[in-house]
Amino acid sequence: MIELLGNLSEHLGLPVNASSHGHMLDQMNGWVHWLMIILFVGWGIFFILTLVKFGFLNKEKVDCEGVKSHAGTYGEYAVILFEAFLLVGFAVPLWSLVKTDLPDVTDETVEIRVVAQQFAWNIHYPGIDGKFGRTYATLVDEEVNPIGLDRSSPHGADDIVTLNQMHLPVNKQTIIYLSSKDVIHSFSLPEMRVKQDAIPGMSTPIFFTPIMTTDEFLLEIKGSAREGKGFEIACAQLCGNSHYRMRGFLTIDTEEEYNAWLDEEAELLEEEGDDDDW
Ligand SMILES: [Cu+2]
């Protein structure tokens, strides 16, 4: 029953869901829409009844005593009960599940940092050692070091930093530590059902598990208006005059593809290092 009513979300034009928790949010969305449909139809009927009863048909019979029936009051109680049920029964447990109950970090967990700025996404990978190097505001150089990474700090030498390009392996728990360099942005992955404000001075953890690779996604959206366009990172918070072009790209790889990409990035880093020696 819960699932059946929640399936209304399939008809709401939502993006394809590509994360393990997404269907729960969609179901919740379905339930909220049922409540809204009931309220809309209920209030609409009430409005028309009122027009008929006290309006153009019955002008002479209108008295000044008002309504004596308690149906309206009971109706309001029913709505409050249903809203409380949605809030306590669904929304609060779901919020804790997808937002506050941080998963344990294991060897299998993918941890990355995302630093938003006007108007780009800097993606920071810990590299082979799995640990992030230190970053300092004083080292920030918009051309060569946008996040101020200290390559000489412990664990910093192998870190990988990309601009607007995020790769993740499929079916792996991902934790993103999100922050911002300037104003408030909002990190949004519509297909992953992830959206979180990026706030300067704060590191906000977000977590999800992708369940669909980019290749599978491209097959899934074939024939739709979205055809040919993979996952994107959108900024969902008006953050300045070029907010509209603050767009990143997310590729969900198979495990092998992901490791190959990491190797490639590590090689590029080495080549850059060689260049510096010259
Ligand atoms: Cu932004």
Side-chain angles (χ1 to χ4, degrees), residues 152-173:
S152 59
S153 65
H155 317 295
D158 63 347
D159 286 19
I160 292 162
V161 182
T162 67
L163 183 68
N164 294 327
Q165 291 292 342
M166 183 192 272
H167 280 245
L168 293 173
V170 72
N171 295 329
K172 282 240 177 135
Q173 177 76 63

Side-chain angles (χ1 to χ4, degrees), residues 223-263:
S224 74
R226 197 54 207 285
E227 181 163 355
K229 292 183 184 142
F231 299 120
E232 286 181 5
I233 309 169
C235 182
Q237 183 78 264
L238 187 59
C239 59
N241 59 4
S242 296
H243 157 72
Y244 70 94
R245 67 171 168 82
M246 187 163 169
R247 183 167 75 140
F249 301 91
L250 168 66
T251 309
I252 305 294
D253 294 317
T254 60
E255 179 93 42
E256 299 79 48
E257 287 168 342
Y258 177 68
N259 289 330
W261 178 78
L262 280 180
D263 289 346

Side-chain angles (χ1 to χ4, degrees), residues 116-119 121 183-186 235-239 243 246:
Q117 73 174 85
Q118 288 172 318
F119 297 92
W121 302 100
V183 300
I184 298 175
H185 300 270
S186 181
C235 182
Q237 183 78 264
L238 187 59
C239 59
H243 157 72
M246 187 163 169

Side-chain angles (χ1 to χ4, degrees), residues 107-179:
D107 292 345
E108 292 291 291
T109 313
V110 179
E111 285 183 291
I112 57 178
R113 283 180 182 165
V114 171
V115 184
Q117 73 174 85
Q118 288 172 318
F119 297 92
W121 302 100
N122 298 292
I123 323 284
H124 181 183
Y125 287 81
I128 301 153
D129 61 9
K131 289 186 173 130
F132 295 102
R134 306 235 18 200
T135 53
Y136 296 96
T138 47
L139 292 180
V140 169
D141 178 319
E142 291 305 337
E143 291 292 311
V144 292
N145 194 0
I147 63 164
L149 176 65
D150 183 359
R151 289 278 177 203
S152 59
S153 65
H155 317 295
D158 63 347
D159 286 19
I160 292 162
V161 182
T162 67
L163 183 68
N164 294 327
Q165 291 292 342
M166 183 192 272
H167 280 245
L168 293 173
V170 72
N171 295 329
K172 282 240 177 135
Q173 177 76 63
T174 300
I175 303 181
I176 296 176
Y177 302 94
L178 182 67
S179 62

